[in-house]
Amino acid sequence: MKLILIFIVVIFNSQLFSAGGQILLTREFVQGTSDSVNILVRDMDLNTNSATAEFVFITVKSSSDNTGINITLKENGTNSEEFSAYANNTALTFTDSGQSSDTNDKIYVLSGDIVTVYYSDTSPVQTFFDTLQWVKYWRLNIGSSNNYTDVNGNLWLKDIDYNETTGLGI
């Protein structure tokens, strides 16, 4: 008699989904201020009323705005245990001029910033997070004397407007 054990593990965006909860950004890389991102929270114990779509509050911070903003996510229907910005008719948006805004769900960023979303679960007590990187659109001029290739073959560009250097890894 043979005994066969099969284990199935479901992974979402490199994070293991567990009963404790999870937060996910729908993108890992964002360019420009016209982009927007949906935010998802999956948490079984937040669904306290199976007849009503409920809400959860998350925090968003960037490398340039450590105070951050708060965004309200809404449950995707009743009894779904998944909450999203899109379900609440909003999304995370970005500005590189002015200030962050809770009202507009807009976080202040500068090119290269890491944007982090946080969700704090109360049962069990723990904090979940996910990140993305925001950059401005880049103007590529291969012939420029400001560009160079490193010993690993990565192409590095100097953004003349912002005096920042970035590697494309191409």
Side-chain angles (χ1 to χ4, degrees), residues 5-11 16-17:
L5 299 175
I6 299 174
F7 295 94
I8 299 174
V9 176
V10 180
I11 298 180
L16 183 64
F17 179 61

Side-chain angles (χ1 to χ4, degrees), residues 127-143:
T127 299
F128 300 94
F129 68 94
D130 197 9
T131 61
L132 63 80
Q133 185 172 20
W134 185 90
V135 297
K136 275 201 164 286
Y137 291 104
W138 293 96
R139 180 181 48 204
L140 182 59
N141 182 356
I142 298 297

Side-chain angles (χ1 to χ4, degrees), residues 18-147:
S18 68
Q22 174 186 47
I23 189 167
L24 298 169
L25 289 158
T26 56
R27 298 176 58 192
E28 296 177 13
F29 185 77
V30 179
Q31 290 183 317
T33 56
S34 61
D35 271 347
S36 64
V37 176
N38 191 18
I39 304 165
L40 301 173
V41 167
R42 295 182 177 119
D43 192 327
M44 294 180 205
D45 63 343
L46 286 179
N47 185 26
T48 60
N49 184 342
S50 62
T52 303
E54 298 166 278
F55 297 90
V56 65
F57 306 97
I58 59 102
T59 301
V60 181
K61 296 181 180 182
S62 73
S63 304
S64 298
D65 182 355
N66 197 39
T67 302
I69 61 172
N70 297 304
I71 296 179
T72 304
L73 310 184
K74 184 177 180 183
E75 191 173 9
N76 292 332
T78 58
N79 205 28
S80 74
E81 301 169 352
E82 182 174 276
F83 300 75
S84 75
Y86 285 178
N88 201 28
N89 296 314
T90 191
L92 174 60
T93 57
F94 308 89
T95 182
D96 61 353
S97 61
Q99 296 181 352
S100 296
S101 169
D102 280 318
T103 306
N104 298 322
D105 297 332
K106 191 172 295 250
I107 189 74
Y108 176 72
V109 290
L110 294 176
S111 191
D113 271 9
I114 300 298
V115 177
T116 306
V117 292
Y118 300 90
Y119 156 65
S120 295
D121 195 358
T122 57
S123 178
V125 175
Q126 53 190 325
T127 299
F128 300 94
F129 68 94
D130 197 9
T131 61
L132 63 80
Q133 185 172 20
W134 185 90
V135 297
K136 275 201 164 286
Y137 291 104
W138 293 96
R139 180 181 48 204
L140 182 59
N141 182 356
I142 298 297
S144 170
S145 62
N146 291 325
N147 303 331

